[in-house]
Amino acid sequence: MKKNTELKYNIIVSLLLILIDFGWGIFIKNKTKLPLVFLLNTTYSISFFTVYFLNYFYVLPKFLKTKKYVWLGISFIVLLLVFAGIRFFLEEVISLHLFNIHNYNLEQENILFIYLLDSFIFAFKAFLYSSVVYLLFRNNENKTAIHDLKLAHEKAQLSSLKSQLSPHFLFNTLNNFYIELYDEKPETAEGILKLSQLLRYITYETTDDFVFLEKEIQFIKDYIYFFERRYEDNLHLKLEINGIINTQKIPSLILIHFIENVCKHGTINNAEKPAKINIDIKKSSLEISTKNYVNTSEKYMEKGIGTKNIKQRLDVIFKNNYTLTQEKNDAIFSSFLKIPL
């Protein structure tokens, strides 16, 4: 729907520019030259809007959005040559052949320089107009995305506040249980401690958009601990963490989405169908990949925080500087996320 809206507005802008150019051509030319004005405006418009739409729908999303400015500059040179090539073919080959009309005196001295200079000016206008319209749409899109994210965050905070029944009292109570059971039932005490850590992390640590990777990893381990207690020796889930953890920060509660999908909706208690979770911490990026057999009684794409909201958060935080893939192949579900650090 957004692409259709953008295309509609770009077509309107294109038609207005064509009418302005055509009207200006009529104003400054003798009426006897109207066929020439119409012909040259047509060839110019075809060349102009070829560059306009190539820049808008291919060059800018590919290079400006990813901040590849060198490639953006190279692309402009390519678009200049595209403009010059199309215009030359239409005006100096097709028009000359069909109507015996052409635009430039090709025998003129320095004609190559003159032609390229004119092409540069016209192609730059196409590049400039399309870039301005593109940036206006992206600015509006970013404002909308940030607004939606703030609303979602405020809604989540409100829900969290409503669900907190005197958290200090709860944590103190859990701590008293831990102390009472530490000597007689150490395993139960350990479970209470990890439950307290989970609740404390969700209540206090995740209010900011970013958290320390070390705490997020510990949260994941504590989360998996309860499945270890539940399934004991029958849990067939392998968690591998590779790399060095120090002071890196990542968006809060991003990784747990993938862990939860595996533990709650996948098969993790079948030795013949083990689940795997790999977290690779690299110098400038973090990768998480999961692979598990699908529990046919569950659905992966459920409502709530879900994949859609995760992607919305990633879009706002990282733009398109991240990779997210999810694939269901027969009975196996796999996912992959790569984000910068």
Side-chain angles (χ1 to χ4, degrees), residues 67 154 221 243 319:
K67 299 182 180 179
E154 289 173 2
K221 290 179 177 178
K319 307 301 181 185

Side-chain angles (χ1 to χ4, degrees), residues 148-149 307-317 322:
D148 290 344
L149 187 66
T307 303
K308 183 179 179 181
N309 286 2
I310 288 292
K311 191 176 187 307
Q312 286 179 343
R313 286 189 65 200
L314 292 170
D315 285 340
V316 172
I317 296 170
Y322 73 93

Side-chain angles (χ1 to χ4, degrees), residues 49-320:
F49 290 107
T50 299
V51 170
Y52 182 103
F53 284 103
L54 280 174
N55 185 52
Y56 191 96
F57 288 106
Y58 180 76
V59 172
L60 294 175
K62 190 172 182 65
F63 301 125
L64 180 63
K65 203 171 182 181
T66 56
K67 299 182 180 179
K68 296 178 180 178
Y69 300 119
V70 174
W71 281 105
L72 185 65
I74 295 172
S75 298
F76 173 70
I77 297 173
V78 173
L79 290 176
L80 166 63
L81 297 175
V82 168
F83 179 93
I86 294 175
R87 191 164 176 243
F88 182 87
F89 179 72
L90 292 175
E91 292 181 350
E92 309 302 331
V93 178
I94 299 296
S95 296
L96 184 62
H97 178 73
L98 294 178
F99 309 109
N100 198 30
I101 296 174
H102 64 106
N103 196 15
Y104 287 84
N105 179 7
L106 299 181
E107 296 180 359
Q108 182 181 354
E109 187 178 356
N110 297 326
I111 183 61
L112 180 62
F113 173 77
I114 294 170
Y115 192 82
L116 288 176
L117 179 61
D118 282 356
S119 296
F120 171 82
I121 294 171
F122 295 136
F124 181 76
K125 285 173 62 179
F127 191 87
L128 178 63
Y129 291 166
S130 58
S131 297
V132 169
V133 176
Y134 180 86
L135 290 173
L136 287 174
F137 269 103
R138 297 291 78 76
N139 181 60
N140 184 64
E141 190 178 81
N142 288 339
K143 285 182 178 179
T144 301
I146 291 171
H147 177 69
D148 290 344
L149 187 66
K150 285 182 178 179
L151 287 178
H153 186 63
E154 289 173 2
K155 191 174 182 180
Q157 283 184 322
L158 181 60
S159 298
S160 177
L161 288 172
K162 287 181 178 178
S163 65
Q164 291 176 23
L165 178 60
S166 185
H168 292 293
F169 170 77
L170 176 61
F171 293 137
N172 288 336
T173 302
L174 289 173
N175 187 55
N176 289 334
F177 287 157
Y178 171 76
I179 294 171
E180 291 177 7
L181 296 170
Y182 182 78
D183 292 325
E184 295 182 6
K185 295 183 178 180
E187 289 187 3
T188 302
E190 180 70 12
I192 291 174
L193 177 62
K194 291 188 179 296
L195 177 60
S196 177
Q197 290 172 343
L198 282 174
L199 294 174
R200 192 178 298 275
Y201 180 78
I202 293 174
T203 304
Y204 297 119
E205 302 287 343
T206 60
T207 54
D208 295 329
D209 289 333
F210 282 81
V211 295
F212 285 106
L213 175 60
E214 180 180 11
K215 292 186 176 181
E216 189 83 353
I217 294 292
Q218 186 58 52
F219 175 69
I220 289 170
K221 290 179 177 178
D222 290 343
Y223 180 84
I224 293 176
Y225 168 83
F226 289 98
F227 287 91
E228 292 173 346
R229 290 294 304 273
R230 175 182 175 184
Y231 291 105
E232 297 181 344
D233 294 337
N234 201 32
L235 179 68
H236 300 283
L237 169 64
K238 185 177 182 182
L239 171 66
E240 281 193 5
I241 301 173
N242 303 308
I244 300 173
I245 302 174
N246 41 52
T247 59
Q248 306 101 316
K249 282 191 171 184
I250 63 170
S252 60
L253 300 178
I254 285 288
L255 300 184
I256 193 61
H257 165 74
F258 299 88
I259 312 301
E260 184 181 33
N261 265 350
V262 173
C263 292
K264 291 181 65 176
H265 309 304
T267 301
I268 58 175
N269 59 344
N270 189 331
E272 297 179 357
K273 299 178 179 180
K276 296 180 181 179
I277 302 171
N278 291 319
I279 299 176
D280 294 317
I281 305 155
K282 300 181 179 180
K283 186 175 181 181
S284 58
S285 65
L286 180 141
E287 299 176 4
I288 178 171
S289 59
T290 69
K291 187 175 182 180
N292 60 273
Y293 284 82
V294 174
N295 186 338
T296 55
S297 64
E298 297 286 354
K299 292 182 179 179
Y300 274 79
M301 305 303 176
E302 64 177 9
K303 296 180 180 179
I305 190 168
T307 303
K308 183 179 179 181
N309 286 2
I310 288 292
K311 191 176 187 307
Q312 286 179 343
R313 286 189 65 200
L314 292 170
D315 285 340
V316 172
I317 296 170
F318 298 117
K319 307 301 181 185
N320 65 339

